[in-house]
Amino acid sequence: MIISARETAGRRPLGIYVHIPYCVRKCLYCDFVSYPLKNDGLDKDRMAAYCSDICVEIRGKARSFNNKYYVDSIFFGGGTPSIAPARSVVSILSAIRDCFDVIKDVEISIEANPGTVNSTQLQAYADAGVNRLSLGVQSFNDDILRSLGRIHDSKTALEAFRAVSDIRTGYRKAFSRNIDLMFGVPGQTADIWKETLAQALELRPEHISFYSLQLEEGTPLYDAYRLGSLTLPSWKENRRMYHMAVNMLKSAGYHHYEISNAALPGHECRHNLKYWTMQDYLGFGTSAHSCVNGKRTGDDAPDPKGDFVFTELRLVDGFDPAVYYAMFGKRFEDDFDPAFSTLVNAGLLEKRGGRIRFTAEGLDYTNPVMEKLLNNTL
Amino acid sequence: MEDYQKYIRNFSIIAHIDHGKSTLADRLIENTGTVAHRDMREQFLDNMDLERERGITIKLQTTRLIYKAKDGNEYIVNLIDTPGHVDFTYEVSRSLAACEGAVLVVDATQGVEAQTLANVYLALDEDLEIVPVLNKMDLPSAHPEEVRAEIEDVIGLDASDAPCISAKEGLNIDQVLEAVVEKVPAPAGDPSAPLKALIFDSYYDNYKGVVIYTRIFDGSVKTGDKILLMNTGKEYEVTEVGVNAPYQTPVAELSAGSVGYICASIKQVRDARVGDTITLAKERTKEPLKGYKKVQSMVYCGIYPAEGEKYENVKDCLEKMQVNDAAFVFEPETSTALGFGFRCGFLGLLHMEIIVERLEREFDLDVITTTPSVIYKVVMTDGTVKMIQNPSNMPNPTEYDHIEEPMVKATIMLPKEYVGPIMELCQDRRGVMEHMEYITPTRVSLHYMLPLNEVIYDFFDALKSKTRGYGSLDYEFDHYEKSQLVKLDYMLNREVVDAFSMIVHESKAYVRARFVCEKLKEVIPMHQFEVPIQAAIGQKVIARETVKAYRKDVLAKCYGGDISRKKKLLEKQKEGKKRMKQFGTVEVPQEAFTAVLKYDEGKK
């Protein structure tokens, strides 16, 4: 059911994540749960069957949540959700609306890859209420796209972005648009990266994610690098690219709000923010995770304090220690000293304006800092 | 009354691995109706899953069969199954000593193999009547006449009337039993003499304590008797005697000529050693049976708790394992790299693999095993001798005069077309050929003196791979010999990891060092910094590889599903790092320890 803001009183917001684990093929750096299409003529049936299973899962789970929660964000992630039949996405959304109370201004995002979208399909998304579209562009340079094993080129990316921008619901643009970009990629120079950023900014999407390439064990890129057949930009170069992006985005008026995310003010991703602020969300589909009352699925040794630090510090503005105190009844310093003080003295963390957060330098060492905090070691 | 022994036959089945020994045993059990067909599991006598999976018998078993022969009489036929691997030669010899005869199973498609021969000689040593049988006659490639001739030429046995059977298909199984009854002599013990019985196996049972498998030669034994184990000198009171039919069935007494089991509240298998003689405490037999020896460990390795596994837990399980396996020994030791653990001794490499696998499977233990080693005899400059079985305990070269290593006499049998590659292999492993003979126009027997440390290092795998599985190996310890040995150390990020240290012949040092460094490079994950892998003799580095650095200072992506997983990677001692061992600043996956031991044809 769709409800108004007034009807949410006394209830908590809930995010819903739906995992669509299919891809045209797997990118060379990808370690997410995803399966390439088999091209045996049955892919569509398989995906449709998977999606109808998700509807069953949703109906089964909703009952215990509906009284206490209302849904204010829905996110289709993958894999490549845009290769699933559009009507499957639509039917999942109806299942959610059937079983949960969904607030009127709900944020509904879907991830799409250039080369897997067309206007009819996008219009179907829009008609079903999808209002945020995240496009996996990664780069506007064809050599870089090839070295990542992407299925599209820059021309396709631009066409896809235009198609997304042209869709309307009524007179209004249908989608708040995100572009995913990647840096630190083999063969990428600061100049190539700068060009991609400039091209992205020219398009003026509402949201830009800019990720440093991570080499994950078990991926072809990891093995190639390990065995010496692949050269990456040096770590110094990688950081240069990162700060270049932060500066360019800021001067273009974007709000850098998470390590790898920036948005025009008011367009921060509501759903993703839940991950970084310990809010409740339910995951549906293969390998999807849930977090309810600070407890994550499959987490047999819950560590809410550690989770808090690990997620909230990803926000560039950090967190208010008063929130920590309210949640755990203890001062943040009491739980995380001496590691915390040491990190502040080292200039990697700071307490400013009543918030605890990474310094600009600390953003280049988030892992070692987290490691010290989580283990509370010097 | 004396007459009863006329209707007893005690026999073993001897064969090379895969020649169908266990399958034949199954058929015999089934054919005599000892186990109803519906209760038959494939290879009834191989009780352990591990045995069934590997297709080898590790622990011997014994079964009493009742067979109605063509002469109209009913016979008690005791089948004593023997372990099928060179590591267990002593156990085989003791179970043979419990018999008057042996059925020799020869694969009619393959002919006589090294182990067949070794076992035949063991049987002949015990004066057993040998009944040859040709198996696998259902296969089109069976060539019984040639194999018959081979048995006659090589072993000198008349095989003209050897039954041609197929254990798999159940063909002519009766002929085997008939031959046993006809040819194997009946036991001829003296039931009124003092008790004289042989322990040919024992195992630990949670309820009964140690269960001894025994052959009674003279006298008899019953519940309540006080028995004396003559070699260990310990006395026990018998709580139960019985026979395996095939399940344990208590009987009133076991008397001369019989095979059965005895329970006497014995706490540990090592107190009822295979080969020991049982007699009555009050009325002793004069002489113990011949052939007893205390089994010696030939191969040693360290067993350490893996990350997240408790030392006490490992100790507990090793103790339990030892209760059931007199040949397995262990003592505590420490390693700078791996912490507290145990030095464990085994009969051979297979024995070691089996124990480690059982620890992991039956006890669900997570352990790291170090490079196996033999025992070196180090003659110090002052003339004293040190026995070293852990490479990291090897004294400094300045402190000793020389090192001696154990040598084994090895017999390798193979089709003649593989002689070249195998001679090359043996030469590469520092073997010295003693002689070579043509058993038949197509089959060759090679006799080598080989250093044991070369044999335990994947020799068997190499032999199998170079002969397409047709080569077979048998070996026994011969003597210690002076040798140019060096200690190879490995360093990760410039720190020695003692658990990888190994002793190798000087001439092999470079090749081994390079091989191990390459293997380590393959399995060690990337770190935030470059990880040099070095091999050194003393201070001298002789091989080097580098694992490239990859900085993971920032986690770029972190959404719902990533949070727990990525957070764990940053937390020490948690699930994410379980299969890793930290050496100084370097993390090494546990597979590294086995990876450095694997034979790799491509790299040779």
Side-chain angles (χ1 to χ4, degrees), chain B residues 138-184:
Chain B
D138 56 310
L139 298 180
S141 53
H143 42 94
E145 290 322 311
E146 275 171 55
V147 173
R148 245 187 252 280
E150 204 173 287
I151 294 174
E152 283 166 20
D153 291 350
V154 181
I155 311 177
L157 277 177
D158 176 15
S160 57
D161 57 350
C164 287
I165 68 161
S166 161
K168 196 166 137 238
E169 303 293 328
L171 179 75
N172 294 336
I173 302 301
D174 264 7
Q175 290 183 18
V176 178
L177 286 164
E178 203 54 46
V180 167
V181 167
E182 205 177 291
K183 291 187 175 171
V184 175

Side-chain angles (χ1 to χ4, degrees), chain A residues 43-91:
Chain A
D43 286 322
K44 281 233 155 62
D45 295 344
R46 253 191 302 273
M47 289 191 282
Y50 174 85
C51 291
S52 67
D53 285 351
I54 286 190
C55 293
V56 174
E57 207 187 331
I58 289 168
R59 289 179 213 283
K61 219 166 189 177
R63 219 170 307 140
S64 54
F65 285 89
N66 217 1
N67 297 332
K68 289 168 258 162
Y69 290 91
Y70 64 92
V71 173
D72 68 344
S73 75
I74 300 170
F75 196 108
F76 288 88
T80 309
S82 55
I83 61 169
R87 64 191 138 72
S88 293
V89 171
V90 173
S91 65

Side-chain angles (χ1 to χ4, degrees), chain B residues 4-35:
Chain B
Y4 76 99
Q5 291 189 67
K6 254 172 69 183
Y7 302 107
I8 297 179
R9 297 291 183 275
N10 298 315
F11 80 106
S12 289
I13 305 177
I14 56 183
H16 187 70
I17 298 179
D18 282 345
H19 280 202
K21 186 172 59 131
S22 301
T23 316
L24 175 58
D26 278 357
R27 284 301 95 76
L28 294 175
I29 292 170
E30 201 180 284
N31 257 47
T32 51
T34 309
V35 176

Side-chain angles (χ1 to χ4, degrees), chain B residues 124-143:
Chain B
L124 290 175
D125 281 349
E126 301 296 332
D127 275 336
L128 300 197
E129 183 65 38
I130 294 174
V131 181
V133 165
L134 304 183
N135 192 22
K136 303 204 182 173
M137 288 299 291
D138 56 310
L139 298 180
S141 53
H143 42 94

Side-chain angles (χ1 to χ4, degrees), chain A residues 211 214 225-226 260 307 367, chain B residues 522 549 552-553 556 559 567:
Chain A
Y211 302 112
Q214 311 259 160
Y225 176 77
R226 224 171 141 274
S260 310
D307 286 353
N367 275 346
Chain B
E522 276 170 33
K552 274 194 176 174
D553 280 344
Y559 299 98
K567 188 175 139 234

Side-chain angles (χ1 to χ4, degrees), chain A residues 211 213-216 222 225-226 235 260-261 272 275-276 296 303 307 314 363 366-368 371 375, chain B residues 521-522 524 526 548-560 564 566-567 570-572:
Chain A
Y211 302 112
L213 169 71
Q214 311 259 160
L215 294 189
E216 302 291 351
Y222 179 92
Y225 176 77
R226 224 171 141 274
W235 182 245
S260 310
N261 285 288
N272 286 342
Y275 297 133
W276 305 314
R296 288 170 208 294
D303 169 30
D307 286 353
R314 292 193 65 83
L363 284 176
T366 61
N367 275 346
E371 190 170 350
N375 300 300
Chain B
K521 186 190 173 182
E522 276 170 33
I524 292 174
M526 291 193 285
K548 285 186 84 171
Y550 177 61
R551 297 188 60 142
K552 274 194 176 174
D553 280 344
V554 176
L555 174 59
K557 265 191 176 184
C558 185
Y559 299 98
S564 304
K566 302 288 183 189
K567 188 175 139 234
L570 298 177
E571 290 169 323
K572 291 194 177 96

Side-chain angles (χ1 to χ4, degrees), chain A residues 8 12 38 105-106 108 119 128-129 154 168 174 194 200 212 222 227 264 267 296 311 313 339 341-342 355-356 360 378:
Chain A
T8 61
R12 301 225 304 238
K38 292 184 178 161
D105 81 328
V106 61
I108 304 179
S119 299
S154 58
R168 317 254 151 188
K194 195 174 185 178
S212 165
Y222 179 92
L227 298 174
L264 291 173
H267 288 277
R296 288 170 208 294
T311 54
L313 273 178
S341 304
T342 317
R355 297 182 78 85
I356 289 170
L378 290 176

